Amino acid sequence: MKIAISTESTLDIPKELQKEFDIDIIPFTVILGDKSGFDGDITPPEIFDYVEKTGILPKTAAVNEYQYDKYFSKLLRTHDAVIHISLSSGISSACENAKKVASIMKNVYIIDSLSLSTGIALLAIYARKLADKGLKPEEIVKKVEARVPHVQASFVINSLNYLHKGGRCSGVARFAAALFRIKPQIIVQDGKMLPKNKYHGRNEACVEKYCKDTLEEFNNPDLSIAFVTHSYATDEMRKIAYDALKQRGFKKIYDTYAQATITSHCGPKTLGILYINDGLKED
């Protein structure tokens, strides 16, 4: 049985990994003033430049029902079933749109990741491994959904400017964060982005403390795979995060850039470590 493992461009993996794990991707749309394009075609550096010049955040548009209908129909011409793992329903309308389309199609299964970025990628890679073992779609969906609550997805935000422009924090909070060099941690919990810890000082010191705290709190990881995902963080920040995961014993660590949709909400030099915190349970 040939099964397509699918998701949106918000899973933030490069084309090489997309090909390696045979994951099909449908992109969000990113709008920069009069210009619009698909996530992946519009890049994070373009977003940084646009925001710096205009002071305005880009807009992002979720995949709509018409796009899903065409996309799923195309996949079903070459596959027996489609398992689509969507950006959290608590963050975007994409998941609900996908479910509406799937409800009138056969052999299309929608999983609400309750996550974002490479939190989605972790679930998609797991689903691919199960599909390659010959499991039926219903079995894959059941096993993937069981892991959804255990995805550890969190980030340290370098600057509150983008959150402020997006209406997610006050001007006072942004000023205080800049004045006292506060780097807030955002964690995905129950499908929503929530503030957690606050770190102070240099980016590198904040990343080191964030990684230490995260690995201590979420201390039952599946050590087979983890991600360091960032929006053009410095080499030193990335190395600190990579080394922390390596020291913890992760066997495969991928360093990936956040794509345009995620970057447009978090801004430059945001960095997170992501993994599934349910022990080694690949089977």
Side-chain angles (χ1 to χ4, degrees), residues 3-282:
I3 300 174
I5 303 301
S6 165
T7 185
E8 298 106 16
S9 57
T10 50
L11 88 166
D12 290 342
I13 63 172
K15 290 181 180 179
E16 305 85 69
L17 288 185
Q18 177 187 348
K19 183 177 180 180
E20 178 182 345
F21 294 107
D22 191 16
I23 298 171
D24 289 282
I25 295 174
I26 184 169
F28 271 49
T29 298
V30 180
I31 304 164
L32 302 175
D34 296 332
K35 176 184 177 181
S36 67
F38 289 131
D39 189 357
D41 294 332
I42 290 181
T43 64
E46 288 181 80
I47 289 174
F48 302 151
D49 185 60
Y50 175 78
V51 174
E52 184 177 351
K53 287 180 179 178
T54 67
I56 301 171
L57 282 186
K59 296 179 180 179
T60 57
V63 183
N64 60 41
E65 292 178 45
Y66 173 74
Q67 290 170 316
Y68 277 125
D69 183 76
K70 288 183 62 179
Y71 173 70
F72 291 148
S73 296
K74 182 178 179 181
L75 287 177
L76 286 172
R77 288 199 287 269
T78 54
H79 296 81
D80 300 301
V82 176
I83 297 174
H84 182 78
I85 305 170
S86 192
L87 176 65
S88 172
S89 60
I91 296 173
S92 168
S93 62
C95 186
E96 186 61 29
N97 292 342
K99 286 182 175 180
K100 287 178 181 177
V101 173
S103 69
I104 57 174
M105 303 181 83
K106 290 184 178 180
N107 300 320
V108 178
Y109 305 81
I110 309 300
I111 297 174
D112 185 349
S113 72
L114 295 179
S115 192
L116 50 68
S117 190
T118 46
I120 304 169
L122 289 162
L123 296 172
I125 290 169
Y126 177 58
R128 170 49 61 203
K129 291 178 179 178
L130 295 175
D132 288 347
K133 290 179 180 178
L135 274 68
K136 296 179 179 179
E138 295 83 0
E139 296 174 302
I140 296 171
V141 170
K142 184 177 179 180
K143 285 180 173 290
V144 172
E145 287 183 336
R147 302 195 87 179
V148 165
H150 302 286
V151 175
Q152 189 293 122
S154 61
F155 301 86
V156 174
I157 305 291
N158 177 65
S159 168
L160 292 182
N161 285 343
Y162 278 55
L163 292 178
H164 172 64
K165 292 178 186 298
R168 293 179 175 85
C169 81
S170 69
V172 173
R174 180 183 61 134
F175 176 78
L179 181 64
F180 296 107
R181 301 174 72 187
I182 296 173
K183 316 293 183 187
Q185 177 190 9
I186 301 295
I187 189 167
V188 182
Q189 185 173 315
D190 298 324
K192 297 181 180 180
M193 294 187 293
L194 301 173
K196 192 172 174 62
N197 297 319
K198 294 179 181 178
Y199 298 102
H200 304 259
R202 294 173 58 250
N203 287 328
E204 291 76 14
C206 291
V207 167
E208 185 173 8
K209 185 66 166 62
Y210 153 72
C211 291
K212 181 177 181 294
D213 290 347
T214 300
L215 290 166
E216 286 180 353
E217 180 176 359
F218 300 95
N219 58 5
N220 185 37
D222 173 350
L223 293 172
S224 65
I225 182 173
F227 282 93
V228 176
T229 301
H230 57 91
S231 52
Y232 289 77
T234 67
D235 290 346
E236 187 176 352
M237 291 166 67
R238 294 159 60 189
K239 185 178 186 304
I240 289 168
Y242 183 93
D243 288 348
L245 292 172
K246 190 73 174 177
Q247 186 175 356
R248 180 59 182 84
F250 283 93
K251 297 178 177 64
K252 194 71 177 179
I253 305 165
Y254 294 103
D255 182 307
T256 67
Y257 291 95
Q259 298 299 312
T261 298
I262 299 299
T263 294
S264 68
H265 296 288
C266 67
K269 294 185 180 179
T270 293
L271 180 145
I273 56 173
L274 300 93
Y275 54 89
I276 300 179
N277 190 54
D278 63 354
L280 184 57
K281 298 179 180 178
E282 286 197 347

